[in-house]
Amino acid sequence: MSSSPPSTPFFLLLLFVFVSSSSFVSSENLPVKALVLPVKKDSSTLQYITTIHQRTPSVSLTLSVHLGGSYLSVDCHDRSFISETYRPLFCRTVQCSATRSRSCGTCNGPARPGCNKNTCRSLPENPFNRLTLYGEFAEDAIMVRATDGSVPGRLVTANRFIFACSSNSLLEGLAKGAKGVVGLGRSQVALPTQFSSKFGFNRKFAICLPSSTGVDNGGAIFFGDGPYNFLPNMLDASKYLIYTPLLVNPNSTRIGAGDTDPSYEYFIGVKAIQVNKQTLRFNTSLLNIDRGIGGTKISTVNPYTILETSIYDSIAAAFTEESGLSRVGSISPFEHCFDGRKVPMTVVGPAVPEIKLVLQSNSVVWSILGVNSMVEPKPGVLCLGFVNGGRHPVTSVVIGGLQLEDNLFQFDLGASRFGFSSSLLRKKTCCSNFSIKVDS
Ligand SMILES: *[C@@H]1O[C@H](CO)[C@@H](O)[C@H](O)[C@H]1NC(C)=O
Ligand SMILES: *[C@@H]1O[C@H](CO)[C@@H](O)[C@H](O)[C@H]1NC(C)=O
Ligand SMILES: *[C@@H]1O[C@H](CO)[C@@H](O)[C@H](O)[C@H]1NC(C)=O
């Protein structure tokens, strides 16, 4: 067995690939394969929050996570933003077009971050209080941790990262201490696409949200390819993923958008819903996206899944029947609560009927077990952790926080597919078992 040295053209090609992919390497000159952000759950708002470093000199920012958000929006009001590397985005630049901004603005008064002349206007959204407010788009350095898929590594810098610099009303309704919102949507300037173009990895990211609000219980958001190795055995949780296509809703779902862009949020094609083996009967056209109305999206804005009334009623009726539990008074926002005193606890939560979202075929099923379907608002009472969204919501099914926790989800924008693991507890691990204690 002998191996011949690579021929010259091949060697040059390798050199070229190395040089071009290393144009955004970290200070240690190693390519970055993936990045990781820590995620915590805020106990009072139930929002998921993360930490990113920004500016020169750098400051650490707590930010609320908006899965379908279009970009990073940061509070810039009142001279609070100090940075040597801040640059406003001027109108009619390539970067301004990437933001899809349609307006140009001028701020009178001394130039400072958030107040410059002839800048690309942003419309940062705060999905938690449904406000939009004007600001200017800008670029600045941000620093996040690289990862090998097992542990958080060194801080690496993404220079000239585009974000919206906005007034402080952005902060109303956000978790305490939050200074803005990170958008993970499918736009050109949301985090997944900016990171993949800056570091040269695939346009892919994964979220693993924690179920507990304890300070030591953090989940992770990964950008780039796996592995995503979790304790106790450092098993790669990407092996558990099952895939379904990501769908594009042609109508914008941004708050106050009035724009003609497609939605930057993530929609999937749920075809049917089952409770145990019972397939629910409701008008399944509600599950299709028709001129922007209907369909199923994934959102980190709502702590619980919100269902159009007829879908809610049919799940609740089937669940009540299948569980055989007796109902007790409702506890807002939940309508269906039960006497849970005799329900056995398992590693995957209370032993209750399984709720299944059937995707493109009967073999592609997202299972929702007790830990992701039930809430215990007081001892001995278990409520079905879904919320009745009324008769004519824009989106029929908005899958929210409780149903996402301790599951791994991968959003592969290049291949336009969505991977889901169902509960990691069934695999004897959980989202806070990615060792991310090294944050900040
Ligand atoms: C089913 O829902 C669709 C979309 O909301 C509606 O247009 C249609 O009339 C409904 N069909 C029935 C039989 O109710
Ligand atoms: C979605 O877009 C289509 C085409 O622009 C329009 O006719 C329709 O009214 C929009 N739907 C909503 C809910 O805005
Ligand atoms: C998380 O990892 C720890 C330490 O390796 C292990 O003891 C624990 O069982 C794991 N958690 C879950 C939910 O499996």
Side-chain angles (χ1 to χ4, degrees):
M1 297 280 262
S2 74
S3 61
S4 52
S7 63
T8 311
F10 181 64
F11 176 73
L12 284 179
L13 177 68
L14 273 185
L15 184 69
F16 171 75
V17 168
F18 178 73
V19 170
S20 57
S21 69
S22 53
S23 52
F24 288 105
V25 296
S26 69
S27 48
E28 288 92 341
N29 269 353
L30 292 166
V32 173
K33 284 205 197 123
L35 302 171
V36 65
L37 293 179
V39 197
K40 298 240 151 92
K41 185 176 177 180
D42 177 62
S43 59
S44 74
T45 57
L46 307 182
Q47 288 166 22
Y48 301 97
I49 53 176
T50 187
T51 309
I52 290 183
H53 301 258
Q54 191 197 39
R55 308 170 206 180
T56 311
S58 84
V59 295
S60 161
L61 300 173
T62 298
L63 302 159
S64 293
V65 176
H66 179 16
L67 181 66
S70 323
Y71 37 76
L72 168 65
S73 307
V74 176
D75 168 36
C76 278
H77 85 286
D78 197 23
R79 293 167 183 77
S80 58
F81 197 112
I82 296 163
S83 177
E84 287 159 22
T85 41
Y86 182 93
R87 303 174 189 217
L89 286 193
F90 293 106
C91 305
R92 288 171 294 279
T93 56
V94 176
Q95 291 88 336
C96 183
S97 326
T99 68
R100 313 276 302 159
S101 166
R102 269 164 218 76
S103 64
C104 195
T106 278
C107 175
N108 296 314
R112 59 171 172 85
C115 183
N116 287 282
K117 297 204 178 359
N118 193 26
T119 55
C120 186
R121 297 272 89 183
S122 62
L123 199 60
E125 56 176 341
N126 174 339
F128 301 97
N129 67 4
R130 306 192 58 81
L131 276 182
T132 54
L133 5 111
Y134 281 96
E136 75 185 10
F137 274 114
E139 296 175 327
D140 207 336
I142 71 172
M143 299 99 209
V144 287
R145 290 205 181 268
T147 182
D148 59 358
S150 296
V151 286
R154 64 198 193 280
L155 274 177
V156 295
T157 301
N159 289 313
R160 303 188 61 171
F161 193 93
I162 297 173
F163 71 104
C165 194
S166 99
S167 73
N168 64 333
S169 8
L170 171 69
L171 306 182
E172 287 169 20
L174 297 189
K176 189 157 176 280
K179 292 287 181 233
V181 176
V182 288
L184 303 178
R186 57 162 86 232
S187 75
Q188 289 304 303
V189 288
L191 273 66
T193 301
Q194 283 205 71
F195 281 146
S196 79
S197 64
K198 292 201 182 294
F199 292 104
F201 49 64
N202 281 329
R203 225 150 65 86
K204 216 181 242 191
F205 71 101
I207 60 171
C208 203
L209 303 176
S211 52
S212 150
T213 56
V215 280
D216 287 334
N217 295 71
I221 300 174
F222 302 94
F223 297 90
D225 274 307
Y228 315 120
N229 295 329
F230 286 76
L231 291 169
N233 299 316
M234 296 313 259
L235 280 179
D236 178 6
S238 68
K239 295 198 166 43
Y240 304 131
L241 297 174
I242 302 172
Y243 294 93
T244 190
L246 278 172
L247 306 182
V248 176
N249 179 344
N251 289 64
S252 177
T253 50
R254 273 177 61 86
I255 297 151
D259 58 31
T260 51
D261 293 340
S263 173
Y264 296 133
E265 296 195 86
Y266 298 103
F267 285 79
I268 55 170
V270 173
K271 289 278 188 326
I273 303 177
Q274 298 175 339
V275 174
N276 283 345
K277 295 214 160 58
Q278 204 183 119
T279 298
L280 304 182
R281 290 171 170 276
F282 57 84
N283 179 354
T284 50
S285 324
L286 291 166
L287 297 176
N288 302 331
I289 302 170
D290 179 16
R291 279 158 293 169
I293 310 282
T296 302
K297 75 176 179 189
I298 324 273
S299 170
T300 52
V301 171
N302 309 105
Y304 309 101
T305 295
I306 301 177
L307 301 168
E308 183 279 337
T309 293
S310 64
I311 304 178
Y312 177 84
D313 288 343
S314 61
I315 285 206
F319 184 90
T320 307
E321 183 189 322
E322 291 282 333
S323 69
L325 295 173
S326 37
R327 275 187 78 180
V328 299
S330 36
I331 298 178
S332 178
F334 310 111
E335 288 182 8
H336 283 71
C337 297
F338 305 91
D339 177 355
R341 285 173 300 176
K342 297 214 178 68
V343 179
M345 268 310 277
T346 71
V347 286
V348 289
V352 294
E354 195 169 326
I355 297 171
K356 298 174 195 162
L357 306 180
V358 182
L359 292 140
Q360 70 272 33
S361 80
N362 287 338
S363 59
V364 183
V365 174
W366 172 346
S367 289
I368 301 175
L369 305 168
V371 68
N372 294 115
S373 63
M374 306 309 285
V375 179
E376 189 175 10
K378 58 184 191 197
V381 175
L382 285 176
C383 298
L384 186 60
F386 290 77
V387 173
N388 185 340
R391 276 283 161 200
H392 298 287
V394 176
T395 303
S396 305
V397 178
V398 180
I399 301 178
L402 174 67
Q403 282 70 35
L404 302 175
E405 292 169 357
D406 286 327
N407 284 232
L408 178 72
F409 299 100
Q410 188 188 59
F411 300 80
D412 183 342
L413 308 191
S416 198
R417 64 177 191 168
F418 168 75
F420 58 96
S421 66
S422 295
S423 183
L424 292 178
L425 301 178
R426 196 147 71 171
K427 321 287 186 195
K428 312 248 178 306
T429 187
C430 59
C431 288
S432 50
N433 267 7
F434 183 80
S435 46
I436 194 149
K437 309 278 167 345
V438 203
D439 79 4
S440 79

